[in-house]
């Protein structure tokens, strides 16, 4: 495919409506359902703040009722997440070009987000220390690149990188960071 000569530009923040018991469930035992919910809501807004600090345009891609008061307070374009696994939701959100950010890495350096926005690679990957990704993006539509990935496992980054290499894609691998999934991550 070869790298395209245009940058990715826009971030798509993948978020869930913060409802106790429905978000950050692995943290609920340590923080309680309300605490985990509040943490998710705060981390989502932190990621948006990081995009603003980086000077990167972003859109919210929200799972849940768009009429929820939390959603109504968001300060950027909002679209609903589609059905399916995370790969399908990311693919539908980004479409032809851009990069997805989850809400699990609220302390990323803004410069890294700015770098993601400037990437001209076919595929952009920002690995997490647990084997996942803090960002995934592309400059070329990828209808099947994310199919069959075992999301929320330590295999995500390695499988995406292997798949990209098997397709001879130009891959931009960013710095690894941590994400907040388990109580020890907080």
């Amino acid at each position: 495919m070869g790298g395209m000569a245009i940058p990715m530009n826009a971030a798509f923040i993948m978020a869930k409506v913060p409802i106790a018991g429905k978000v950050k469930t692995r943290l609920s035992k340590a923080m309680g359902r309300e605490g985990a919910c509040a943490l998710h809501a705060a981390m989502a807004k932190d990621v948006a703040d990081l995009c603003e600090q980086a000077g990167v345009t972003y859109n919210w891609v929200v799972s849940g009722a768009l009429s929820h008061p939390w959603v109504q307070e968001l300060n950027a374009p909002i679209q609903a997440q589609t059905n399916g696994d995370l790969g399908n939701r990311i693919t539908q959100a980004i479409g032809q070009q851009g990069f997805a950010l989850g809400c699990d890495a609220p302390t990323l350096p803004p410069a890294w987000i700015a770098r993601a926005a400037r990437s001209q690679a076919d595929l952009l990957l920002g690995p997490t220390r647990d084997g996942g990704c803090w960002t995934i993006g592309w400059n070329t539509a990828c209808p099947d690149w994310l199919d069959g990935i075992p999301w929320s496992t330590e295999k995500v980054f390695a499988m995406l990188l292997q798949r990209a290499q098997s397709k001879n894609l130009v891959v931009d691998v960013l710095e690894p960071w941590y994400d907040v999934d388990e109580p020890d991550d907080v």
Side-chain angles (χ1 to χ4, degrees):
M1 292 203 162
M4 297 185 70
I6 55 176
M8 294 197 183
N9 292 326
F12 295 87
I13 301 174
M14 308 295 288
K16 292 180 181 177
V17 172
I19 298 174
K22 301 288 184 185
V23 296
K24 304 310 293 169
T25 55
R26 289 183 272 175
L27 295 176
S28 292
K29 289 181 183 171
M31 304 179 73
R33 292 173 12 148
E34 293 296 329
C37 180
L39 179 64
H40 169 74
M43 291 192 320
K45 295 218 173 154
D46 287 346
V47 171
D49 289 345
L50 294 172
C51 288
E52 289 175 11
Q53 292 170 33
V56 172
T57 301
Y58 63 94
N59 296 311
W60 290 97
V61 186
V62 177
S63 174
L66 298 185
S67 60
H68 189 280
W70 181 83
V71 176
Q72 298 302 308
E73 294 176 7
L74 299 177
N75 59 349
I78 301 164
Q79 63 193 69
Q81 285 189 27
T82 58
N83 293 325
D85 71 3
L86 182 59
N88 184 64
R89 295 190 318 257
I90 290 171
T91 299
Q92 294 302 313
I94 294 175
Q96 297 289 320
Q97 179 184 32
F99 61 103
L101 292 168
C103 297
D104 293 347
T107 61
L108 281 167
W112 293 10
I113 295 172
R115 178 167 172 240
R118 291 189 308 268
S119 179
Q120 296 179 11
D122 294 323
L123 183 64
L124 170 76
L125 297 172
T128 55
R129 294 179 182 150
D130 64 3
C133 290
W134 59 263
T135 190
I136 297 171
W138 52 80
N139 272 317
T140 304
C142 64
D144 64 350
W145 294 355
L146 305 183
D147 289 353
I149 299 295
W151 301 103
S152 300
T153 71
E154 72 284 350
K155 298 176 183 179
V156 173
F157 172 73
M159 286 185 73
L160 288 170
L161 185 60
Q162 180 182 25
R163 186 171 288 177
Q165 291 169 339
S166 74
K167 294 178 180 282
N168 295 316
L169 300 176
V170 175
V171 183
D172 188 358
V173 177
L174 302 176
E175 296 83 355
W177 199 248
Y178 70 94
D179 57 353
V180 178
D181 291 321
E182 302 290 340
D184 287 347
D185 300 331
V186 177

